[in-house]
Amino acid sequence: MNETGISKLTLHGMMLQGVFWFGFSTYMAFMVTTLLDYGWTESAAAGAMTAMSVIIILVQPVFGYIGDNFLSEKKLTVLLLVLTAVCFLLLPFSLRSGSMLLVVLNMVGITISGMQVGGLMDAWIVGLKQEFPSINYGLIRGSGSLTYALSAQIMGTVTLTFGHNVRLWFGCGFLLLTLLVALKFRSARRTLQTSAADEPVRQLSGVEAFKLLFSSKQYNLLLGISFFLMLSNASMITLVQL
């Protein structure tokens, strides 16, 4: 692919990340304060977010397995974007119902679907970068962080003016826009072409793969650093809103 094609691919990736995180910020950046405004106690709101974090830990390996064996990152992203948009559309009705159970079920739906999209998009773009090393992954990922911050500012004003429901419907609209962008974005190839002289690679079992991963000191160090970084980051996001 020539330089123009790489630039277009990078811009498309920036649009994918940017539009998604602009839309998903309408939930992530405001959910604790939304629950408080609908009569939840601070401990209940924080507890609900903690429960969602546990669900994320349990669900991510499932989608990783599905992505490795059955569906591409693109197909999974498209499917989960549809489910997330539906959950966003239903959340205002759940909140207005006064039923804590309905709200929690709605939040679980968003956690199972929407919270997985960011990781899948990252894997999708990393796969493309392996195929086209000139792609600027940092620029693509940074565009998502930028639009998340912009969304938090803009949607805060929308919430103060029109209320929580309008903000969530804006989020639903941006998720549907992300769906259109994702459908037109290039799929990452599963494997790169190898020469005839290359030896075939034996498929590892799940147990063998885990043993191989955790035998690496560098991998264990990376896992530990990532865990503690995300632990502190998730706590900060929840507690700052409180």
Side-chain angles (χ1 to χ4, degrees):
M1 184 179 288
N2 58 29
E3 187 174 343
T4 302
I6 293 295
S7 297
K8 288 182 178 179
L9 201 58
T10 299
L11 287 172
H12 203 152
M14 291 172 64
M15 186 180 298
L16 179 70
Q17 291 271 0
V19 177
F20 170 75
W21 286 111
F22 191 97
F24 204 64
S25 173
T26 63
Y27 171 83
M28 278 295 295
F30 297 93
M31 198 54 205
V32 172
T33 51
T34 300
L35 293 176
L36 294 178
D37 285 349
Y38 274 90
W40 288 46
T41 65
E42 292 185 354
S43 58
M49 299 304 290
T50 301
M52 298 307 115
S53 298
V54 174
I55 293 173
I56 292 172
I57 294 172
L58 297 176
V59 171
Q60 279 183 337
V62 175
F63 281 107
Y65 181 81
I66 293 172
D68 288 340
N69 295 279
F70 301 106
L71 297 175
S72 67
E73 291 89 356
K74 178 174 181 174
K75 290 179 179 178
L76 262 179
T77 298
V78 168
L79 174 62
L80 294 179
L81 282 171
V82 172
L83 295 176
T84 307
V86 171
C87 289
F88 268 48
L89 191 63
L90 294 176
L91 185 55
F93 301 101
S94 299
L95 289 165
R96 286 206 304 268
S97 72
S99 170
M100 183 176 289
L101 177 60
L102 282 180
V103 175
V104 169
L105 289 175
N106 215 150
M107 291 175 66
V108 169
I110 293 174
T111 301
I112 291 175
S113 55
M115 294 297 293
Q116 316 306 317
V117 172
L120 286 170
M121 290 194 307
D122 286 344
W124 183 358
I125 293 168
V126 167
L128 286 172
K129 184 168 177 58
Q130 291 177 335
E131 189 177 352
F132 306 106
S134 298
I135 291 176
N136 191 329
Y137 173 77
L139 188 60
I140 293 173
R141 192 63 187 85
S143 65
S145 300
L146 175 61
T147 57
Y148 186 97
L150 289 174
S151 176
Q153 178 65 39
I154 295 169
M155 291 301 153
T157 303
V158 169
T159 302
L160 290 173
T161 306
F162 302 105
H164 294 291
N165 293 349
V166 173
R167 186 194 71 246
L168 289 167
W169 289 331
F170 263 112
C172 180
F174 274 95
L175 290 175
L176 292 176
L177 181 58
T178 308
L179 176 63
L180 296 178
V181 176
L183 287 170
K184 293 183 176 295
F185 194 40
R186 182 189 183 104
S187 297
R189 291 169 59 185
R190 286 284 177 160
T191 55
L192 299 177
Q193 292 182 346
T194 56
S195 66
D198 291 340
E199 296 182 3
V201 178
R202 183 175 68 85
Q203 184 73 31
L204 295 176
S205 69
V207 174
E208 289 176 321
F210 271 106
K211 286 182 177 179
L212 182 62
L213 278 174
F214 288 103
S215 66
S216 167
K217 292 181 180 179
Q218 292 90 340
Y219 177 79
N220 289 330
L221 177 61
L222 176 63
L223 199 64
I225 291 172
S226 300
F227 173 80
F228 286 109
L229 280 174
M230 292 306 297
L231 180 66
S232 59
N233 186 55
S235 302
M236 181 187 69
I237 289 173
T238 300
L239 295 176
V240 160
Q241 291 188 56
L242 291 175

